[in-house]
Amino acid sequence: MDAVQLTQWKHDPEVRDVPEPEPGPGQVLVRVGGAGLCHSDLHLIHDFESGMVPFEPPFTLGHENAGWVEALGAGVSRLEVGQPVAVYGPTGCGQCRRCIQGLENYCERQGELTSMAAGLGTDGGMARYMLVDDPRHLLPLGDLDPVQAAPLTDAALTPYHAIKRSLGLLVPGSSVVVIGVGGLGYMGVQLLEVLTGATVIAVDTRRSALDMAASAGAEHTVTAGESAAAEIAELTGGKGADVVLDFVGNEATMQLAVASGRSLGHITIVGIGGGSYPFSFFTVPYEASLASTYWGSISELIEVLELAERGLIRAEVERVSIAEVPAAYERLARGDVNGRLVAVPE
C-alpha cells in the first residue's frame, strides 16, 4: 500500500510502497478515512535531527486520524468491524496516574517512551491502513464523517485544552486574543464562541484567514504587524486581553502575546514556532501566567467530538490524495492553506 513516510530528518516526505499491517494481540487495524496534515509535521520534517527525540525515521506520517475498524487482534473486545472511530493521538505508558486520568499527553514516563504518537515516531494514518496499539485510543464517531473528524483530534482538541485551562477568566465582558487563525486558531475561534462569553480578537497576517475567523465569530480582526499591539490595546480599552492564545509561537508572536495581555491574565503559547521570551519581574504583566500546552486529554476529545456531532464546531477540510501529500505540505509551508488539509486514501 502507498504511505507518506518521513525517511530521514530534514528531508521531504516520500510516498513509498509498504506492507499492509496485520493486528497482533491487543491491537486494532483501522482503515483510514482521513489523516490531517499539521504544521507540527513541518517542524518534524524540517527542524528535527537525530537525538532530539527518542525515535528515528522511517515512519508513516499522520497524527490526526479517523476511519473504520478493519480487523481486531486477539483479546480485543467492545469494538466491531466497520465501526467508525477517531484515533486519540498522544501515546503514553497507559499505567501512570496521568495516563489513567486520560492525560496521556502529559504521561509521567515520557522519557521512557519510544514514540510520541502514531505519526510521530510510529506509523501514522497517511496510508490505507494503520495499526492502533491499544483500543483505549479509539473513540466512536457516531454519525460524524471520518474525513471531517480526523482534524478534530488535534486541530480542535489542542485549542480546546488550551481554552479550558482559562475558562474561569473568559466570562462575559472579558476579551481574548487569538494569534494565528489558520488550522488550530480557526478552530479555537469557533470553540471560544461556543464555550465562552468573551470578546474574540483574531490576529493574522493573511486577510483570508481573518475573514474566516470573522465568519466563525471573531468580533474584531487585526492584521499582524507593528501596529497590532496598539490596535489590541484600543480594542480592550487600554486594559489588554484577559487571555491570549498564541497558535504560532515564534519570536514576533510571543512578543505580541505578552504585549497584548493584562495583569492576572493567561498568556498561553500553543504554537511551536521556536520563539522564546525573557521571563522576569518586569517583562510580563503582574501576576499573569505564561504557559505552554500540548495536545489534550482523551476525555476532552470526547467533548470535542460531541460538539462536532451537535453541529457546533466544524473543520473546514480540503481533501488531498496520498500522492498529493508531499506537494500539499509545500503549500502548507507557504501559508497557502486556510482550514485543514486532510489526506484521503483511495
Side-chain angles (χ1 to χ4, degrees), residues 257-326:
V258 176
S260 302
R262 65 179 299 189
S263 60
L264 297 171
H266 285 179
I267 302 163
T268 303
I269 311 302
V270 184
I272 56 174
S276 62
Y277 190 85
F279 185 91
S280 72
F281 190 87
F282 295 107
T283 60
V284 176
Y286 293 128
E287 227 172 302
S289 72
L290 181 58
S292 61
T293 61
Y294 173 66
W295 228 326
S297 71
I298 195 165
S299 60
E300 289 170 333
L301 180 54
I302 292 171
E303 295 165 7
V304 164
L305 295 175
E306 176 66 23
L307 291 174
E309 191 158 13
R310 293 173 58 191
L312 297 174
I313 61 170
R314 177 181 172 85
E316 294 298 325
V317 165
E318 179 184 341
R319 302 178 183 216
V320 296
S321 69
I322 293 295
E324 293 171 326
V325 168

Side-chain angles (χ1 to χ4, degrees), residues 168-183:
L169 300 178
L170 295 169
V171 297
S174 66
S175 57
V176 53
V177 170
V178 181
I179 301 174
V181 286

Side-chain angles (χ1 to χ4, degrees), residues 3 25 58 63 66 71 79 100 102 110 116 143 148 154 158-159 164 169 176 184 189 227 231 283 304 340:
H63 60 268
L79 288 172
I100 292 170
Q110 282 185 342
M116 298 167 64
D143 294 330
Q148 288 289 330
D154 181 6
T158 296
K164 280 194 72 174
L169 300 178
V176 53
L184 273 68
V189 171
S227 63
E231 191 171 347
T283 60
V304 164
R340 209 65 170 174

